[in-house]
Amino acid sequence: MKKIALLAICAMFSNSLFSQQWDGATNLTDHIYRNGKVSIGTDNNNDKLNLNGNFRLTGNSGNKIVFGGGSTSPVGSTIVGDDGNFHFEFNDSKLYLHPYVSAYFGDVDPNPQLKNAFSMGATGIVGMGTDNFYCSQCSGYRLFVKDGIKTEKVQVEIAVSNGWADYVFQKDYKLMPLQELQSYITDKGHLPEVPTTEEAIANGIELKEMNILLLKKIEELTLYTLQQQKNIEEQNTRIEMLEKKISTSK
């Protein structure tokens, strides 16, 4: 009888303790909640949830960490990290991963570029060093990088075979006569189809298109060189014939 009474007292005490800390059902299936802070493995209570140890999502039904205040249009700023390491933030419909900075969004930051170390927009566009990837001419791009890119290898795919410049060597290709080319350069100050300095500064250049254009100009230059070589050989032949006539007439 004493044991039963003791068990009843423990159950009442545990329920009382639970009711002081949590709201919601006391069963194992319905959700529970609280307005205070929760700490696991630590007595640190700086944030709503303080965890000392690993955090793992398991299951095959699609695991997510959701940032923001709504299921369809999340708002607000969520920060994950330590002051000496990294921050993981959601702000203004963009997700940010960056080293720790001394100021958060809306504050004056002595090094604002750190906040843009890595960002991703709601449409899956990724920025490195910048979060400015929404503009009138940006719809065809997936990755935006500020400052340089250092790599050992870059491969650019060519969508169609006629996108390359070898059509210059086709027999029906019309090569601009050198006199017209000289007049164009004298008038415009640049090669045909090549953007001006002002256009390149204002709009930048497409790496793939510029490489194809430069190859086209090299192939045109090759045709000019071959044409000149043919003219030189013909002239040399005529000179030799004239020299023979002159020598036989003496």
Side-chain angles (χ1 to χ4, degrees):
M1 190 66 180
K2 291 181 179 181
K3 292 182 177 180
I4 296 176
L6 181 61
L7 290 174
I9 293 173
C10 290
M12 292 175 61
F13 177 78
S14 62
N15 286 337
S16 175
L17 180 63
F18 178 86
S19 63
Q20 292 177 9
Q21 297 179 351
W22 297 92
D23 294 319
T26 58
N27 56 47
L28 299 179
T29 56
D30 294 329
H31 77 284
I32 57 176
Y33 57 92
R34 61 174 295 166
N35 292 325
K37 299 176 180 179
V38 177
S39 299
I40 303 175
T42 178
D43 58 358
N44 185 310
N45 65 345
N46 291 334
D47 300 289
K48 282 291 186 179
L49 176 61
N50 302 274
L51 174 65
N52 180 16
N54 296 331
F55 175 73
R56 177 175 297 181
L57 297 175
T58 60
N60 299 320
S61 59
N63 300 309
K64 298 179 182 179
I65 299 178
V66 180
F67 298 89
S71 59
T72 57
S73 57
V75 294
S77 176
T78 303
I79 303 172
V80 179
D82 182 76
D83 288 353
N85 297 309
F86 298 94
H87 280 177
F88 197 18
E89 303 188 20
F90 179 87
N91 189 282
D92 193 24
S93 297
K94 295 187 182 79
L95 191 64
Y96 295 84
L97 173 62
H98 58 77
Y100 167 73
V101 292
S102 58
Y104 298 110
F105 283 91
D107 299 329
V108 178
D109 193 334
N111 193 354
Q113 289 304 321
L114 283 180
K115 289 180 181 176
N116 297 326
F118 183 90
S119 58
M120 183 173 64
T123 58
I125 298 176
V126 174
M128 300 180 67
T130 179
D131 62 353
N132 184 21
F133 38 69
Y134 293 119
C135 62
S136 59
Q137 299 178 350
C138 299
S139 59
Y141 300 90
R142 179 64 61 183
L143 175 64
F144 291 75
V145 180
K146 182 176 176 58
D147 300 326
I149 300 175
K150 185 176 181 180
T151 180
E152 294 182 353
K153 196 173 184 179
V154 174
Q155 179 175 332
V156 180
E157 295 184 353
I158 307 299
V160 292
S161 59
N162 60 1
W164 204 234
D166 286 345
Y167 59 85
V168 172
F169 292 144
Q170 298 295 324
K171 293 182 178 180
D172 58 349
Y173 182 75
K174 294 182 180 180
L175 189 65
M176 179 181 291
L178 283 174
Q179 290 183 349
E180 293 184 15
L181 179 60
Q182 182 178 0
S183 299
Y184 184 94
I185 294 174
T186 302
D187 181 41
K188 304 292 185 181
H190 61 90
L191 288 172
E193 304 175 275
V194 176
T196 64
T197 301
E198 293 77 11
E199 291 172 341
I201 293 175
N203 305 321
I205 60 172
E206 290 281 356
L207 182 61
K208 181 181 72 174
E209 280 72 11
M210 181 55 66
N211 281 336
I212 294 174
L213 180 58
L214 292 177
L215 175 62
K216 178 182 179 180
K217 296 307 172 183
I218 291 173
E219 292 184 350
E220 288 179 342
L221 180 60
T222 301
L223 290 180
Y224 286 126
T225 302
L226 292 174
Q227 190 178 75
Q228 288 182 338
Q229 180 63 29
K230 182 180 178 181
N231 293 337
I232 292 172
E233 291 176 355
E234 290 178 353
Q235 289 176 356
N236 288 337
T237 301
R238 292 176 183 177
I239 291 172
E240 290 176 359
M241 291 176 62
L242 290 173
E243 288 178 344
K244 287 180 180 181
K245 287 182 179 181
I246 292 173
S247 63
T248 54
S249 62
K250 290 182 179 181

